[in-house]
Amino acid sequence: MPKITAAKVIVTCPGRNFVTLKIETADGVTGVGDATLNGRELAVASYLTDHVIPCLIGRDAHRIEDIWQYLYRGAYWRRGPVTMSAIAAVDMALWDIKGKIAGLPVYQLLGGACRSGVMVYGHANGETIEDTIAAARDYVAQGYKAIRLQTGVPGMAGTYGVSKDKLFYEPADSDLPKETAWSTEKYMRVVPELFAAAREALGWDVHLLHDAHHRLTPIEAGRLGRDLEPWRPFWLEDATPAENQERFRLIRQHTTTPLAVGEVFNSVWDCKQLIEEQLIDYIRATVVHAGGITHLRRIASLADLYGVRTGCHGATDLSPVTMAAALHFDLSIPNFGVQEYMRHTAETDAVFPHAYSFAAGDLHPGDAPGLGVDIDEAAAARFPYRRAYLPVARREDGSMHDW
């Protein structure tokens, strides 16, 4: 029995904050898991340190399912982003340990590869449509087969998804939340123009995606989806807040544009109706926020029954530990769709050395035992935690809007 003898939480900020759990067994085998929750990192760090780690010591690291159930059912206060991110970190670390003991990459323990690589999409953005198209051309030149398009909205000082840095988009960039202005009407006018220009410039052999970032009502989302239909988007992401899953029925009635949602979901219960009623085409729940590999596989299995594919969140607020775990998951499931991929800074890559690699529009997790990623604790110590919040959005009349 590989008995858990120690565990600790490491908080580091190599350009942005990450929370990492490291578990060690009596034989000296270690595993790492990501516990990062954007803008609420220390809440998860405390949950792990004060409430979870004491319950892990002495347990059999091989009993992944039992430990998952213990942390989920035993806590009584179930679900929620803090709890599920903490459970996810434990789950990832235990899969990492199991793979190292077996001498196999995690995807082999999950049934082996279903594909040769994992198609990823990059983020092309710019202040103008022309800038976005230029960025998209760069991605095509790098071999990407799928690209997310975001552009500035004329008449607005800033727009979600548009960054001064073309390689790294990090919205959590201020000590207190920035307040940004929003106009749905202005936004709805520019997105169809963006897609028309992109198809003319890029052709039809590249998948084009767009993120509405929960900014629209269902009828507005239906209208935008219909307006985009001639340009065949791969998906319209996060069209409307999904706390009320029935809202997607109205969107479905008005457009055939594929719909993706779920990066803020924490469990299968957040998407059960969306999947069973086939109100979405892609589920975007991610390893770190939806309870780890163990629970995300349950979500994918349910989705597979209804023809829904995965499209896991993969922004820079997820560390390379989550990216590695996501790739093992993506490679092993039959209903994979696409994986978001935002490159990390050189400092982050140095703190988290990893085996995954990019080629011809695909990522592969590599064949190192376990997850194939680690944390350099000495390097991590050079980047202390720095408080950083996501922005908030207000309509032009000053009232709050979903960010």
Side-chain angles (χ1 to χ4, degrees):
M1 178 183 84
K3 185 168 71 172
I4 297 172
T5 55
K8 61 182 173 181
V9 174
I10 303 162
V11 181
T12 184
C13 186
R16 66 110 45 240
N17 293 313
F18 296 111
V19 179
T20 306
L21 175 68
K22 190 169 188 177
I23 295 177
E24 184 173 352
T25 70
D27 295 329
V29 180
T30 61
V32 291
D34 186 11
T36 305
L37 183 61
N38 202 348
R40 298 292 185 270
E41 294 90 354
L42 298 185
V44 189
S46 172
Y47 192 103
L48 284 166
T49 300
D50 299 324
H51 304 294
V52 172
I53 288 176
C55 299
L56 295 177
I57 306 304
R59 296 189 178 275
D60 182 352
H62 272 330
R63 298 184 63 177
I64 297 175
E65 180 67 38
D66 182 67
I67 290 174
W68 195 98
Q69 296 293 338
Y70 175 83
L71 294 175
Y72 181 82
R73 295 176 183 237
Y76 186 68
W77 306 106
R78 299 181 184 181
R79 300 163 60 190
V82 174
T83 295
M84 297 304 281
S85 296
I87 293 175
V90 175
D91 190 76
M92 280 184 253
L94 295 181
W95 278 107
D96 192 22
I97 288 170
K98 187 179 285 287
K100 289 174 180 175
I101 292 174
L104 292 169
V106 166
Y107 76 83
Q108 294 288 16
L109 304 180
L110 301 177
C114 286
R115 55 195 49 82
S116 59
V118 173
M119 184 175 74
V120 298
Y121 69 89
H123 288 206
N125 69 83
E127 293 292 339
T128 66
I129 289 175
E130 291 75 18
D131 292 341
T132 301
I133 300 303
R137 289 185 190 276
D138 287 342
Y139 277 103
V140 171
Q142 294 171 50
Y144 281 78
K145 296 172 282 192
I147 303 167
R148 193 187 85 165
L149 304 174
Q150 308 290 142
T151 193
V153 176
M156 301 190 67
T159 306
Y160 166 77
V162 177
S163 171
K164 292 183 175 64
D165 193 318
K166 298 302 180 186
L167 291 180
F168 311 108
Y169 174 62
E170 177 47 64
D173 61 356
S174 60
D175 185 59
L176 289 173
K178 290 180 179 177
E179 297 197 4
T180 59
W182 177 252
S183 168
T184 300
E185 294 77 15
K186 293 174 182 175
Y187 162 80
M188 295 273 284
R189 290 195 293 266
V190 73
V191 178
E193 296 176 10
L194 170 64
F195 269 73
R199 279 296 178 215
E200 182 176 355
L202 305 174
W204 294 86
D205 293 332
V206 60
H207 299 300
L208 302 180
L209 301 78
H210 181 71
D211 185 1
H213 216 252
H214 308 110
R215 301 293 177 96
L216 307 177
T217 66
I219 199 65
E220 289 167 344
R223 183 185 307 131
L224 179 60
R226 186 177 60 195
D227 289 347
L228 293 178
E229 285 175 11
W231 317 116
R232 296 293 189 270
F234 185 89
W235 76 31
L236 176 60
E237 174 188 340
D238 290 347
T240 194
E243 288 94 335
N244 179 358
Q245 297 180 42
E246 292 187 4
R247 301 182 88 194
F248 278 73
R249 287 182 186 165
L250 185 59
I251 305 174
R252 267 291 200 236
Q253 292 170 9
H254 292 280
T255 183
T256 59
T257 290
L259 301 174
V261 74
E263 69 182 55
V264 300
F265 289 173
N266 309 135
S267 80
V268 69
W269 302 105
D270 295 321
C271 53
K272 180 176 180 289
Q273 182 179 10
L274 289 169
I275 290 171
E276 290 179 342
E277 297 186 17
Q278 300 172 70
L279 301 179
I280 58 173
D281 302 278
Y282 296 90
I283 178 64
R284 301 201 67 246
T286 188
V287 178
V288 65
H289 298 142
I293 293 172
T294 296
H295 192 64
L296 194 59
R297 279 169 59 83
R298 290 195 181 94
I299 294 175
S301 294
L302 175 66
D304 192 33
L305 295 178
Y306 296 94
V308 174
R309 294 193 287 171
T310 65
C312 293
H313 179 60
T316 47
D317 60 326
L318 312 181
S319 86
V321 178
T322 284
M323 180 55 68
L327 294 175
H328 287 279
F329 164 82
D330 295 336
L331 203 66
S332 69
I333 60 169
N335 57 322
F336 167 76
V338 72
Q339 171 67 53
E340 182 178 20
Y341 175 46
M342 291 182 69
R343 289 162 290 184
H344 290 102
T345 64
E347 292 81 5
T348 296
D349 286 337
V351 170
F352 296 96
H354 53 266
Y356 61 78
S357 59
F358 174 86
D362 292 349
L363 281 175
H364 193 283
D367 288 309
L371 293 177
V373 65
D374 204 348
I375 183 168
D376 183 331
E377 295 187 51
R382 295 197 293 270
F383 302 100
Y385 170 80
R386 186 175 68 246
R387 188 172 69 186
Y389 284 91
L390 292 167
V392 299
R394 292 187 182 273
R395 300 180 184 90
E396 291 184 306
D397 66 1
S399 60
M400 286 295 299
H401 190 71
D402 293 298
W403 187 78

